[in-house]
Amino acid sequence: MRSIFIFLCLVSFNSLAKESCEIGDVGLDSESSKVEELFYVGTCHYRNQDYDKAATNWSALISNAETSDSDNELIISANNNLGFLLFFGFGVKQDQKQALKHWSYAISLGHTESEFHLCHAYADKEQPTFNLSKASMHCKKAQLIYQGIEEPDEDEKLILKKINSYLKGLE
């Protein structure tokens, strides 16, 4: 009986730990666009570690034909985020080749974090995507981006440290 009580407490706690990803709970309303809905609901699922649901939302966003210029930033970020899930196989079948395409597309539209992801993908010798010449190019570009941040937060400092480590290893 005691083990059932502990189990119920753990299940209840776990269900309380996840945030609700309903449209109103992510700060959207009936005036929000479909692109906003798919992006922010996907982001909520990502934070809840429901990676398959995040991937479903971001994939739908990317293939959504009804977009406006104001949606471009979210579409670019969704490509970056989906690339991350695909590269590491979080919630989806791992597909590093497709991840590289998403990141390259995001970079072509000015997404800076994707540059770091490509740096990692090509510079990490343990990854099947390792490519010395591409690693050097993407890591140098990522280094310039992260060195140019005036007041980097702790995550950005760690990213720059990792980039510098990759570059040192490529010498």
Side-chain angles (χ1 to χ4, degrees), residues 51-64:
Y51 301 125
D52 57 330
K53 292 177 183 176
T56 298
N57 277 271
W58 292 331
S59 294
L61 185 161
I62 290 167
S63 62
N64 185 0

Side-chain angles (χ1 to χ4, degrees), residues 51-161:
Y51 301 125
D52 57 330
K53 292 177 183 176
T56 298
N57 277 271
W58 292 331
S59 294
L61 185 161
I62 290 167
S63 62
N64 185 0
E66 297 178 30
T67 61
S68 66
D69 288 343
S70 63
D71 296 325
N72 285 341
E73 189 175 324
L74 297 178
I75 294 167
I76 295 165
S77 291
N79 274 279
N80 174 67
N81 299 349
L82 188 57
F84 183 82
L85 296 179
L86 287 164
F87 191 84
F88 293 105
F90 293 143
V92 294
K93 183 177 183 237
Q94 187 175 31
D95 187 343
Q96 293 180 324
K97 197 173 190 178
Q98 192 63 36
L100 298 176
K101 288 179 183 178
H102 281 287
W103 287 332
S104 294
Y105 177 72
I107 287 170
S108 74
L109 298 172
H111 196 274
T112 57
E113 184 182 321
S114 292
E115 195 70 65
F116 166 66
H117 290 311
L118 283 178
C119 167
H120 165 78
Y122 292 127
D124 187 335
K125 294 175 182 172
E126 295 182 21
Q127 295 295 338
T129 52
F130 175 75
N131 180 310
L132 188 61
S133 64
K134 289 182 179 182
S136 180
M137 177 186 65
H138 287 289
C139 290
K140 286 177 182 175
K141 286 171 65 179
Q143 183 184 48
L144 289 172
I145 290 166
Y146 284 88
Q147 283 177 336
I149 298 172
E150 287 187 30
E151 295 181 32
D153 62 26
E154 289 306 310
D155 288 338
E156 292 163 337
K157 289 176 185 177
L158 288 173
I159 289 171
L160 182 57
K161 187 175 181 178

